[in-house]
Amino acid sequence: MIGLISATAAGAAARDRLAAAWPERTRVYEGPVKEAVRAAFAECEQLVCFLATGAVVRLLAPLLTEKAADPGVVCVDEGGRFAVSLLGGHGGGANELAREVGALLGAEPVVTTATDAVGLPGLDTLGLPYEGAVAAVSRALLDGEPVALAAEVPWPLPPLPVADEGVYTIRVTDRDAVPGEREVLLRPPSLVVGVGASKGAPTEEVLGLIEGALREAGLTARSVGRLATVDAKAGEPGIVAAAERLGVPLVTYSAEELAGVAVPNPSAAPLAAVGTPSVAEAAALLGGGELLVPKRKSAMATCAVVRRPARGRLAVVGLGPGARDLLTPRAAAELRRASVVVGLDQYVDQIRDLLRPGTRVLQSGLGAEEERARTAVAQARAGHAAALIGSGDAGVYAMASPALAEASDDIDVVGVPGVTAALAAGAILGAPLGHDHVSISLSDLHTPWEVIERRVRAAAEADLVVTFYNPRSRGRDWQLPKALAILAGHREPGTPVGVVRNASRPDESSRVTTLAALDPASVDMMTVVTVGNTATRIIAGRMVTPRGYRWQASREEPK
């Protein structure tokens, strides 16, 4: 919960805007400011104070305990100009909260945490349990000192400027190790514990069996990602409580699923009880991995431990048509998260300044789309956080199709939508896509012309607005005239046509003409051509396709 505190009418107005936008996340604290801050500090995970920073500092000073326990605090000035991350930037989430508050109120987020200021991810913000000298290792990264990354367990981390060797170390491990003086241990959720139990098995027995198995194998409970069992035991109190005590989800599988898993220690007892020869080992192994601890038994419970294979992450990111303000915040966040970025060289150049230090860039030229897709998937399969970038929307004539055709279910795939060229051009032209429309690429590099022609003819007969991608190149200059001729067989010569080149980029140009007047020679590969349907009109110089034909018929023809 986020506590909201204000002292003046202006502060209350901004406070109420935040409360209205986040009704489930916020609580307004009324009354004297000192008491309100004290109550919110004790009851909330985060605070937003619409007060001067000096006043907030004095109010907070007597309440501070320790970095790990204090809530995150954001201070918004009286004029609503700045959202300052004042306390708990990382641990309390104040840095991200300042950005959220700033976006909502139109304020500039102010984040002074050293790692954030230079674009480095904080070691305490990676979403993994951590131990050791976070401050010292972070300072070494900031100072450019060599910091080694020792990944005993591959895991998709964000980019870090690490070296092969160094006095300081970041170690990714699920081992029960003690960090060195200049070392940070990151604990990935790489362990799956399979659990079986007789009815009424005590929580302490189940938990004790698990903890003992981990301890004897030299593993840490902080890397347990989930407990797994058979569906029949989904509500067994001892198993449910053990998962709660470990702070991990409990996942269950059917007896049929578990019976299909080959295990080293099958048994007749669970087969008779729940229909599978193995619960603990099979539940842990389902999905793959290395069996680190074979089945162990207590009086009423069994457990087994598996290290699951690291699942890399592939984000397929659409960069939009080119303008930076049309790059979505989600796309920018994925670029900062990726440790490997794969893309066409000219697209990489567009976003290079958004990449964090330590990001590996794998770029190539035109004509290597399939190779880029394979490279990005291979990087994800190696356990990295990879981003495959393309212009517009990655799923529209771009990299999502070849990437997803290459990817299998051994990696996580995230699609990040982008503003397409058709949408960017449509916004410039007016509202040509106001009714049913279709996009067709005229490039026959991947699709036979016979197929393209059939689609153009179908769109013409269906009276759809048509946006042509890849309309004309130096070596391919006859397809656009042919496509326009097909449309002309079903539409009047005066049908509006919009031509937009380099939509949203500094050298953007656009014009509205007609089907009869369009000169195909004026079009190139950087151009999008949008041909209206029989209802499309030019109104005040803009293309407009009405949402309904009845609306168009009911009004006078524009003069």
Side-chain angles (χ1 to χ4, degrees):
M1 186 64 65
I2 303 171
L4 306 180
I5 303 104
S6 63
T8 66
R15 175 202 68 191
D16 292 344
R17 285 176 60 192
L18 214 59
W22 299 338
E24 304 299 322
R25 297 176 61 190
T26 57
R27 180 188 304 162
V28 173
Y29 284 79
E30 304 277 8
V33 171
K34 184 176 181 179
E35 285 73 13
V37 169
R38 183 181 296 276
F41 195 90
E43 298 168 358
C44 298
E45 292 82 19
Q46 295 174 320
L47 281 70
V48 179
C49 299
F50 297 86
L51 302 163
T53 54
V56 177
V57 168
R58 286 189 293 271
L59 290 168
L60 292 178
L63 308 177
L64 301 180
T65 56
E66 59 177 340
K67 182 177 180 179
D70 292 333
V73 179
V74 170
C75 188
V76 179
D77 67 287
E78 190 76 5
R81 298 170 301 163
F82 304 104
V84 182
S85 175
L86 193 65
L87 179 70
H90 284 169
N95 291 351
E96 185 56 36
L97 181 60
R99 296 184 182 100
E100 289 187 82
V101 170
L104 186 62
L105 299 181
E108 180 72 22
V110 179
V111 176
T112 59
T113 309
T115 50
D116 294 77
V118 299
L120 285 174
L123 298 177
D124 52 352
T125 66
L126 302 181
L128 301 179
Y130 59 89
E131 304 164 36
V134 170
V137 175
S138 297
R139 173 53 58 189
L141 288 170
L142 289 166
D143 291 343
E145 297 187 43
V147 177
L149 176 65
E152 297 174 6
V153 179
W155 211 256
L157 298 175
L160 293 166
V162 292
D164 293 333
E165 296 181 354
V167 176
Y168 297 87
T169 304
I170 300 169
R171 182 147 57 116
V172 186
T173 182
D174 53 21
R175 293 290 174 185
D176 187 16
V178 177
E181 183 181 351
R182 298 183 176 183
E183 183 177 51
V184 170
L185 304 184
L186 298 178
R187 303 300 198 177
S190 53
L191 303 178
V192 180
V193 179
V195 184
S198 303
K199 185 175 182 179
T203 300
E204 295 303 328
E205 180 177 339
V206 175
L207 193 60
L209 180 64
I210 293 170
E211 291 176 339
L214 293 170
R215 185 169 53 251
E216 290 182 22
L219 302 170
T220 175
R222 304 192 78 186
S223 280
V224 174
R226 61 178 181 261
L227 298 194
T229 190
V230 67
D231 285 346
K233 297 296 180 179
E236 185 62 43
I239 295 177
V240 172
E244 292 175 350
R245 294 266 289 273
L246 289 169
V248 298
L250 175 64
V251 297
T252 64
Y253 304 105
S254 68
E256 183 179 5
E257 288 177 292
L258 297 182
V261 179
V263 298
N265 300 294
S267 172
L271 180 62
V274 294
T276 173
S278 172
V279 172
E281 288 181 340
L285 283 166
L286 193 62
E290 178 188 2
L291 184 63
L292 302 180
V293 180
K295 180 175 69 175
R296 293 171 52 98
K297 298 174 62 176
S298 65
M300 301 183 70
T302 59
C303 81
V305 182
V306 163
R307 178 182 288 134
R308 60 173 172 154
R311 288 183 66 85
R313 188 175 189 276
L314 174 62
V316 187
V317 181
L319 302 180
R324 177 56 60 85
D325 60 353
L326 292 181
L327 175 76
T328 67
R330 186 179 300 180
E334 287 294 346
L335 293 174
R336 289 192 296 270
R337 178 173 181 170
S339 60
V340 183
V341 171
V342 182
L344 181 68
D345 46 15
Q346 64 189 58
Y347 297 150
V348 170
D349 290 341
Q350 290 179 22
I351 50 84
R352 197 180 294 275
D353 63 302
L354 296 178
L355 305 181
R356 280 176 157 160
T359 305
R360 284 193 296 125
V361 175
L362 305 176
Q363 63 186 52
S364 53
L366 288 168
E369 287 80 7
E370 286 80 7
E371 181 59 32
R372 283 195 292 275
R374 286 192 290 270
T375 297
V377 170
Q379 290 295 320
R381 284 194 177 126
H384 300 300
L388 177 62
I389 62 173
S391 66
D393 181 281
V396 180
Y397 303 122
M399 296 304 302
S401 295
L404 268 61
E406 185 74 21
S408 51
D409 62 1
D410 57 345
I411 61 174
D412 295 323
V413 178
V414 177
V416 182
V419 178
T420 68
L423 296 179
I428 293 165
L429 295 170
L433 308 182
H435 209 297
D436 297 335
H437 56 276
V438 63
S439 295
I440 299 176
S441 171
L442 295 183
S443 171
D444 56 1
L445 293 177
H446 299 284
T447 306
W449 173 252
E450 294 76 15
V451 175
I452 297 172
E453 183 174 348
R454 187 165 67 246
R455 291 171 180 171
V456 174
R457 200 172 300 281
E461 293 173 354
D463 196 30
L464 297 172
V465 175
V466 181
T467 297
F468 288 122
Y469 280 70
N470 307 312
R472 183 177 181 274
S473 66
R474 290 181 180 178
R476 186 175 47 77
D477 59 2
W478 58 269
Q479 287 92 337
L480 179 59
K482 177 67 174 176
L484 294 174
I486 293 171
L487 292 176
H490 297 78
R491 300 177 193 184
E492 295 296 325
T495 299
V497 175
V499 180
V500 180
R501 188 176 190 278
N502 283 334
S504 86
R505 299 183 184 183
D507 55 347
E508 168 191 299
S509 64
S510 66
R511 67 185 188 278
V512 176
T513 182
T514 64
L515 190 55
L518 175 63
D519 179 9
S522 66
V523 172
D524 62 14
M525 286 290 285
M526 306 304 293
T527 306
V528 172
V529 177
T530 300
V531 182
N533 64 11
T534 56
T536 305
R537 297 292 182 267
I538 298 176
I539 302 175
R542 304 180 187 93
M543 283 181 71
V544 179
T545 303
R547 291 185 62 191
Y549 293 106
R550 286 177 293 181
W551 170 84
Q552 183 68 24
S554 68
R555 60 175 290 176
E556 294 184 3
E557 189 74 17
K559 304 299 183 185

